[in-house]
Structure formats: C-alpha cells, structure tokens
C-alpha cells in the first residue's frame, strides 16, 4: 500500500509576496532583496504554472484553485497548512499561528471537495487559535498513513497536547520530537526537516540533537521498513526535506521536489531514492526564497474517494 495520494490540490496565488507575520519564526524566508519589485510576482506565477505543467506531464492529477484577491493572502500557495483529508472521508481544518494566514481557510474549497468526493465529516480545529494552540496541517504533521504513525517536531506552530489529541482522534500513534537549526532555534515546521515516502524517509538527522529522540525515530523507521536518506543542514536549506511522494494516474510512485532540492542531493542519495520512485522536479526559486516554503508546501493531498461526477 502506497503512502501517497493520487489527487493533488494546489492554489494559484493572487497576492504573492513576503509575509512579515511568518518571517518571525520562518528562517527560510530571504529578506535581502527588493520585495516591491513586481518582477517577483510575475516570476512566482511562472514558477507555479510550470510546476503544475510538470506534474501533469508526469500523469499526476492536479486540481488548481485560484486564490481570491481579497483579503490578501501572501502564502495562499501553501494550502497544506490549513486542511487535510483522510481515506475514511474526514476533512480537518487547522489552527494557524500567523494571523494573516487564517483567511486561507476557504469554505468554497471545502464545498468543492464535498461535491467531487465522498466527505463524511468536516472537523474545524481552528477554535484552538483562541487558546494559542496551533497545529498547521502537514506542515506540522508528517503522516505515515500505511503504519498509522504521525510524526511532529514541536515548535510555536505545533502544540504537543493538540498534536497528541489529534493523533488519537485519527487512530494514529503520535511521535513528537524536537528539531533545531544550526543556531539551536526550533525548526518551525516538520516538513522542512522530514519527509516520508512509502519505502524511505528524507530527514536531517543533525537537527535532532537529543540522542534518545533520534534513536527512537531511527528505530521507528527500521521497524516500518524505511530506508533513511540523512541530509545535512546545507541540504536542508535547499529544501531537500520539503518533498512529497505522489501516485500518478497509472499507479506509479513519483517523488516531487524543486530543482534546487534535486541538485542538492548527492548522487548516492538520488540512486537510493530512484530504487523506489521516479523523481520529478521543477524550479521554484522565487517561491522558496520569498516565502520560505517548497514544493511539498504547495501540494494538499486528497485521499477522499471520488464521487461519480469527479473533477
């Protein structure tokens, strides 16, 4: 059984730009260029469209939703943070820390999913924002859907109590750990330091400084039959962990990433991954630099069963 989905939803941005609210704890956002330059918007949209075209050329089913112009949402191209879907028909909406990202939760997108797929229940966890408890979708949680294990590195965006409670609701084992950057600062999202595929994981082992936690994770990977691609901090900075396995329309496993990430992997790491998947990549340098998120952040997986009148 694959860990990956056959349907991907993406949101084409209408207000692309630097988000000061997220820059507080997102160390991946670059600030050393003129962000008032409209060329960045044009470049980001070209990157988005090229990435979608690359996915579709590789037989990956992608639904693209246009962002709404108002209110302005500079990170709308990262829908994975505000909702997840599950094979039993559940949809969850998540509490997000940055105030200006909360408007990304759109009822019309959920309505579209309910029309095209079988949805049994929609659960809105955003009420936890009032308690300053946050859990930002598959930014916070890495799901091993085959073995029913949920992994999360803890940070201001990922509340331990809420994570464990949510994992219990889903019937998953919760595995929480700590991950820090080179300066000892908590890494804000799990999906920038860890990705799980059907047969392997990509993880920055150096970021897990507690040896017991690291040993626990490595034991989990071994017990679930995962090979380990252990990347360096330098590779982490190139978004090598912000990658995603998807299943194409012919039931083949593809591993999606940015060109920056692809060129950062060593030949040995590429060889290991290509035993199991075909790697596809596309350049999204502007999106990565301005917004501090990569290709995985741009892809919301749809695990719901299709209705007769599908997309």
């Amino acid at each position: 059984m694959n860990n990956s989905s056959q349907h991907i939803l993406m949101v084409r941005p209408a207000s692309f730009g630097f988000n000061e609210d997220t820059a507080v704890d997102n160390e991946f956002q670059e600030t050393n260029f003129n962000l008032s330059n409209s060329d960045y918007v044009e470049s980001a949209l070209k990157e988005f469209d090229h990435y979608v075209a690359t996915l579709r050329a590789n037989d990956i089913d992608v639904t693209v939703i246009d962002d709404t112009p108002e209110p302005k949402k500079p990170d709308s191209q990262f829908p994975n943070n505000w909702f997840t879907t599950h094979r039993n028909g559940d949809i969850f909406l998540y509490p997000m820390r940055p105030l200006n990202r909360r408007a990304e939760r759109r009822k019309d997108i959920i309505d579209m999913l309910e029309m095209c797929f079988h949805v049994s229940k929609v659960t809105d966890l955003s009420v936890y924002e009032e308690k300053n408890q946050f859990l930002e979708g598959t930014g916070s949680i890495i799901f091993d859907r085959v073995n029913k294990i949920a992994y999360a590195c803890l940070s201001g965006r990922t509340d331990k109590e809420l994570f464990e409670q949510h994992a219990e609701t889903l019937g998953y084992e919760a595995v929480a750990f700590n991950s820090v950057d080179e300066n000892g600062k908590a890494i804000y999202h799990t999906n920038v330091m860890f990705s799980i595929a059907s047969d392997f994981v990509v993880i920055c082992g150096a970021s897990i400084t507690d040896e017991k936690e690291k040993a626990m994770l490595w034991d989990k990977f071994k017990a679930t039959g995962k090979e380990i691609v252990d990347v360096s901090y330098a590779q982490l900075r190139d978004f090598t962990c912000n990658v995603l396995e998807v299943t194409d329309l012919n039931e083949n496993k593809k591993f999606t990433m940015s060109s920056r990430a692809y060129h950062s992997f060593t030949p040995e790491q590429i060889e290991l991954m290509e035993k199991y998947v075909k790697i596809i990549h596309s350049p999204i340098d502007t999106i990565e630099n301005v917004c501090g998120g990569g290709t995985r952040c741009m892809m919301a997986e749809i695990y719901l069963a299709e209705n007769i009148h599908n997309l």
Side-chain angles (χ1 to χ4, degrees):
M1 187 179 183
N2 286 356
N3 198 56
S4 49
S5 167
Q6 257 193 319
H7 302 286
I8 299 297
L9 183 144
M10 299 175 66
V11 177
R12 191 175 192 269
S15 307
F16 179 85
F18 185 82
N19 190 341
E20 293 185 0
D21 283 13
T22 59
V24 173
D25 58 0
N26 183 345
E27 299 287 326
F28 293 81
Q29 290 176 249
E30 301 286 346
T31 58
N32 57 346
F33 43 72
N34 180 11
L35 290 163
S36 63
N37 190 334
S38 61
D39 290 347
Y40 287 105
V41 176
E42 184 179 349
S43 177
L45 290 174
K46 284 182 178 178
E47 290 172 2
F48 181 95
D49 293 339
H50 186 267
Y51 184 45
V52 170
T54 300
L55 294 171
R56 288 175 171 164
N58 282 274
D59 298 319
I60 295 167
D61 183 60
V62 183
T63 298
V64 176
I65 306 290
D66 285 324
D67 182 25
T68 52
E70 295 294 335
K72 294 189 183 303
K73 303 177 285 295
D75 284 329
S76 64
Q77 66 277 0
F78 299 148
N80 77 305
N81 295 137
W82 67 264
F83 80 96
T84 61
T85 68
H86 302 267
R87 288 189 173 99
N88 66 353
D90 282 351
I91 296 178
F92 289 89
L93 311 183
Y94 290 89
M96 303 173 74
R97 186 180 190 184
L99 294 175
N100 66 0
R101 291 206 61 190
R102 298 174 184 180
E104 294 172 28
R105 292 189 297 259
R106 286 171 51 187
K107 184 178 183 299
D108 62 317
I109 292 180
I110 301 302
D111 289 345
M112 182 274 293
L113 291 173
E114 291 184 310
M115 181 176 68
C116 298
F117 297 92
H118 172 70
V119 175
S120 56
K121 185 170 61 174
V122 178
T123 303
D124 188 352
L125 301 175
S126 66
V127 292
Y128 286 93
E129 288 167 352
E130 299 170 10
K131 301 178 181 179
N132 286 320
Q133 288 182 282
F134 309 111
L135 192 65
E136 299 190 339
T138 53
S140 294
I141 310 167
I142 307 300
F143 290 109
D144 180 343
R145 293 176 186 257
V146 174
N147 297 292
K148 292 197 174 298
I149 303 173
Y151 297 91
C153 73
L154 304 176
S155 72
R157 308 269 195 111
T158 304
D159 181 84
K160 185 173 190 257
E161 179 187 358
L162 185 54
F163 164 62
E164 292 178 342
Q165 178 182 315
H166 185 48
E168 184 177 354
T169 298
L170 291 170
Y172 277 58
E173 176 188 356
V175 178
F177 60 96
N178 295 282
S179 175
V180 296
D181 65 16
E182 304 93 322
N183 301 313
K185 183 176 180 180
I187 289 180
Y188 80 110
H189 269 165
T190 316
N191 74 2
V192 296
M193 56 73 59
F194 177 35
S195 176
I196 193 162
S198 297
D199 302 288
F200 61 91
V201 301
V202 181
I203 191 166
C204 180
S207 73
I208 305 161
T209 55
D210 185 307
E211 289 301 323
K212 287 184 179 179
E213 288 186 344
K214 185 174 180 180
M216 171 195 66
L217 287 169
W218 260 239
D219 286 345
K220 289 286 182 194
F221 302 151
K222 184 177 180 181
T224 53
K226 310 290 186 190
E227 290 205 62
I228 300 170
V229 179
D230 192 355
V231 300
S232 66
Y233 271 126
Q235 292 175 302
L236 168 74
R237 292 287 171 187
D238 284 332
F239 295 91
T240 52
C241 298
N242 199 249
V243 291
L244 183 66
E245 181 189 280
V246 297
T247 301
D248 72 14
L249 294 170
N250 301 308
E251 301 289 341
N252 299 309
K253 290 178 287 190
K254 305 284 177 71
F255 206 49
T256 64
M257 62 185 67
S258 70
S259 296
R260 176 178 171 184
Y262 178 79
H263 293 299
S264 188
F265 283 111
T266 68
E268 293 77 17
Q269 290 168 336
I270 294 288
E271 183 180 4
L272 186 156
M273 293 185 289
E274 286 185 334
K275 286 194 302 183
Y276 304 108
V277 294
K278 178 186 176 183
I279 297 175
I280 57 177
H281 62 90
S282 182
I284 58 159
D285 297 48
T286 308
I287 294 171
E288 287 174 329
N289 290 335
V290 175
C291 300
T295 54
R296 194 279 165 266
C297 297
M298 295 166 65
M299 306 170 77
E301 302 146 283
I302 308 302
Y303 286 93
L304 306 167
E306 291 181 77
N307 285 333
I308 296 173
H309 303 291
N310 59 11
L311 302 180

